[in-house]
């Protein structure tokens, strides 16, 4: 019996394929499919409903219902049984449809006389496209085999919809991937840019959905799965011990690759007439549909693993690699579900922007994008389903908005915005070589933050006077293995060479909290930002910091060296860190290495506690740099990574500025140079206020130097300071309003 049904199903698919091959209009094809399906399933009715917009379905073809209802009957998501299938993405099989909860009577279709109803979702890779329904007068429950058969038809329909086989009149039949779509995500890195989509993982296109010979397809699938298993085993063998997370992921891969259920379902689909790749894709679609319903983070990740495996399998079967042969478009903007920092770096400086479906503000990809100063948007949900290679795309990193295939008015408005930015850039380049001196003659030093070799060309192009913060952890984060000392020494030497004598402040490894090394055993901490991180790790397990200090000393090879310890919360930590350095220096000297002619040792001030350290701390430390990103999160108790609170408190809040005033005073008493290297230093108005409060060295993203310098040179710091102090005296919560008024009145 099952066998007969299978061959029925194969026959139906064969006929569908022939229909597709015919040179017919979209509507005629849909009509024919409903006819063939009803005929093959022995039902009076077969209907196809497609989404005309995100929550409306439209009857687009029918065999058995009133033909006049086609393109007239519509329903909302969740409305009636069809709407229920669409909303839940699940099959509805009802012997007595009118008595089902939610049944909606649609007189225009003559539906009431049909008792049984079977509806399956038409979806592709988790994207809902419509609903396929069969109905019959006889009150009966459809069998599992019949459900399967209808699902297979729905899958073919989904593929055909994707390939534009049913294009016709009306929104529901518009060609897919042609409309303008707006995505609202979150800002990973500011900046506006326009260009063309470059998919990191291009979709594999399956064109041969139906196959005549199941035996051949089963063999192809089996061979492909064997190859997949071998490659997963090889990956697992290649991952060295200690690469905790990676091994866990690969183990999950192996489990899926050997999962009997996964394989069996695909084999059954082949038995029903699908090609091997279509069977994989059908399974993948179901995984994606599940993925959208799962909220548990761990489970979602595992479903993603399964999704990745399906992609690998599809590539083996179709021979389509990541390299699809298509050329990278002009001004490429990378679109991906997510991307590792290494992959992002591999693109070098080619990318104009990056848009991710996932990611978080602190994720490694975001850290790298920041370092590369590429506008980046995260959480742009479902964009990989919509975007096609080469599509025009506008990225507004300031607002967290992406326009895909925008219409002309949007493009023109965006062009204006970019033109204004370009004009400002011109203005900045004209003052690039100028010293930054305020209108009342105060000298302010503007430095840049860096962390990758890719940053260093900006040292000249931005006009930075040096590197005020070199985040050494980036070199650790972009690798999947702990870098070797020689490797690091080489990189640091190249950094110093590129700086050509300008001062570079190397911050020792700042890991933990948001920066978790992929190869370090993750430690479960209730609150990582307040946990075992940065200097705390370095002092408790000094091996890595010692190795890094050696690399830095060797890189300097006699040249002066500037080091900064992160996250020092009390005097003693500074003393211990400095002692470690002295030990390493002595050892290096003993080993015959040239030690730097001078080592300058500073610390970051990232916890309020350090501002109240004993006087001897300020006397002994050679410079202090305020890490405003962390300092602010601890000062206001507002997580810098939590979208809900991270912008809640203004940097120009009176409490925060008063606190900074205290730090300035403490440094002034001991003549300790003070700088500020958090993100706020790169925001012009904030920078102006910081300078007015007495912080005369600011380190920021290279792209911010121009705008900051331009503003600082136009105003008198003493007057800004007066505005701030007066606002304090009036008890204003934030000085932003009064400062902005002053800037406007004196522009
Ligand atoms: C800071 O905390 O302000 C800082 C500069 O360090 P990071 O952003 O790397 O934590
Ligand atoms: Mg910090």
């Amino acid at each position: 019996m099952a066998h007969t049904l299978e061959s029925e199903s194969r026959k139906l698919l064969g006929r569908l394929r022939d229909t597709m091959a015919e040179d017919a209009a979209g509507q005629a094809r849909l009509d024919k499919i409903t006819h063939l399906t009803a005929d093959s399933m022995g039902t009076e009715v077969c209907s196809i409903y497609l989404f005309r917009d995100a929550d409306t379905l439209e009857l687009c073809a029918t065999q058995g219902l009133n033909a006049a209802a086609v393109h007239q009957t519509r329903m909302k998501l969740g409305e009636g049984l069809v709407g229920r299938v669409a909303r839940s993405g699940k099959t509805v099989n009802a012997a007595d449809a009118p008595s089902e909860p939610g049944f909606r009577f649609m007189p225009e279709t003559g539906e009431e006389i049909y008792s049984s109803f079977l509806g399956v979702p038409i979806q592709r890779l988790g994207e809902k496209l419509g609903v396929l329904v069969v109905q019959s007068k006889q009150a009966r429950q459809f069998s599992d085999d019949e459900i399967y058969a209808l699902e297979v038809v729905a899958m073919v329909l989904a593929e055909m919809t994707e390939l534009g086989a049913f294009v016709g009149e009306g929104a529901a039949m518009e060609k897919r991937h042609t409309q303008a779509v707006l995505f609202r995500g979150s800002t990973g890195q500011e900046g506006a840019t326009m260009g063309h989509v470059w998919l990191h993982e291009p979709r594999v296109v399956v064109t041969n959905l139906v196959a005549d010979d199941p035996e051949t397809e089963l063999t192809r699938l089996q061979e492909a799965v064997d190859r997949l298993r071998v490659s997963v085993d090889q990956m697992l063998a290649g991952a060295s011990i200690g690469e905790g997370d990676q091994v866990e992921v690969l183990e999950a891969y192996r489990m899926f690759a050997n999962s009997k259920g996964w394989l069996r379902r695909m084999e059954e689909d082949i038995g029903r007439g699908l090609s091997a790749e279509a069977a994989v894709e059908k399974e993948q679609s179901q995984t994606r549909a599940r993925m959208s319903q799962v909220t548990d983070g761990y489970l979602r990740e595992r479903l993603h693993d399964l999704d990745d495996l399906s992609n690998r399998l599809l590539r083996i079967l179709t021979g389509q690699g990541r390299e699809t042969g298509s050329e990278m478009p002009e001004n490429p903007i990378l679109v991906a579900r997510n991307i590792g920092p290494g992959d992002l770096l591999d693109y070098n400086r080619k990318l104009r922007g990056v848009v991710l479906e996932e990611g978080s503000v602190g994720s490694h990809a975001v850290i790298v994008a920041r370092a590369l100063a590429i506008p980046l948007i995260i959480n742009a949900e479902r964009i990989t389903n919509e975007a096609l290679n080469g599509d025009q795309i506008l990225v507004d990193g300031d607002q967290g908005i992406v326009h895909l295939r925008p219409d002309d008015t949007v493009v023109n408005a965006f062009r204006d915005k970019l033109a204004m930015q370009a004009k400002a850039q011109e203005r900045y380049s004209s003052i690039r070589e100028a010293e930054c001196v305020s209108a009342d003659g105060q000298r302010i030093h503007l430095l840049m933050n860096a962390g990758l070799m890719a940053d260093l060309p900006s040292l000249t192009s931005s006009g930075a006077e040096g590197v005020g913060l070199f985040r050494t952890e980036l070199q650790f984060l972009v690798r999947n293995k702990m870098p070797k000392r020689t490797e690091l020494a080489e990189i640091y030497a190249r950094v110093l060479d590129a700086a050509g004598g300008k001062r570079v402040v190397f911050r020792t490894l700042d890991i933990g909290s948001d920066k978790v090394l992929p190869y370090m055993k993750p430690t479960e901490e209730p609150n990582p930002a307040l946990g075992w991180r940065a200097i705390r790790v370095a002092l408790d397990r000094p091996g890595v910091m010692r190795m890094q200090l050696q690399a830095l000393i060797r890189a300097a090879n006699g040249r002066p060296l500037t080091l900064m310890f992160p996250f020092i919360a009390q005097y003693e930590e500074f003393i211990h860190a400095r002692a470690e350095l002295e030990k390493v220096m002595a050892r290096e000297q003993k080993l015959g290495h040239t030690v730097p002619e001078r080592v300058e040792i500073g610390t970051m001030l990232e916890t309020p506690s350090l501002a109240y350290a004993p006087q001897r701390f300020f006397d002994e430390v050679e410079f202090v740099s305020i890490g405003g990103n962390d300092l602010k999160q601890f000062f206001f108790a507002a997580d810098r990574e939590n979208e809900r609170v991270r912008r809640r408190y203004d940097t120009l809040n009176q409490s925060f500025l008063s606190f900074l005033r205290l730090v300035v005073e403490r440094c002034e008493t001991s003549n300790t140079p003070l700088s500020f290297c958090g993100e706020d230093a790169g925001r012009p108005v904030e920078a102006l206020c910081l300078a007015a409060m007495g912080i005369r060295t600011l380190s920021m993203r290279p792209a911010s130097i121009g705008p900051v310098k331009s503003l600082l040179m136009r105003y008198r710091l003493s007057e800004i300071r007066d505005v701030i102090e007066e606002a304090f005296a009036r008890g204003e919560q934030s000085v932003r309003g009064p400062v902005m008024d002053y800037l406007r009145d004196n522009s």
Side-chain angles (χ1 to χ4, degrees), residues 471 507 510 514-515 533 566-567 604 606 627-631 633-634 640:
R471 291 181 162 104
R507 176 175 75 183
D510 180 15
D514 57 326
K515 300 165 193 155
R533 52 176 293 198
F567 218 64
M604 304 265 307
E606 293 171 286
N629 306 336
D630 274 314
L631 180 63
Q633 84 165 335
F634 298 125
R640 65 189 265 190

Side-chain angles (χ1 to χ4, degrees), residues 73-98:
T73 294
R74 293 199 187 121
M75 62 208 58
K76 290 279 171 211
L77 198 62
E79 191 185 349
L81 296 187
V82 173
R84 193 164 110 196
V85 175
R87 165 167 287 166
S88 64
K90 291 196 180 114
T91 296
V92 170
N93 180 8
D96 182 13

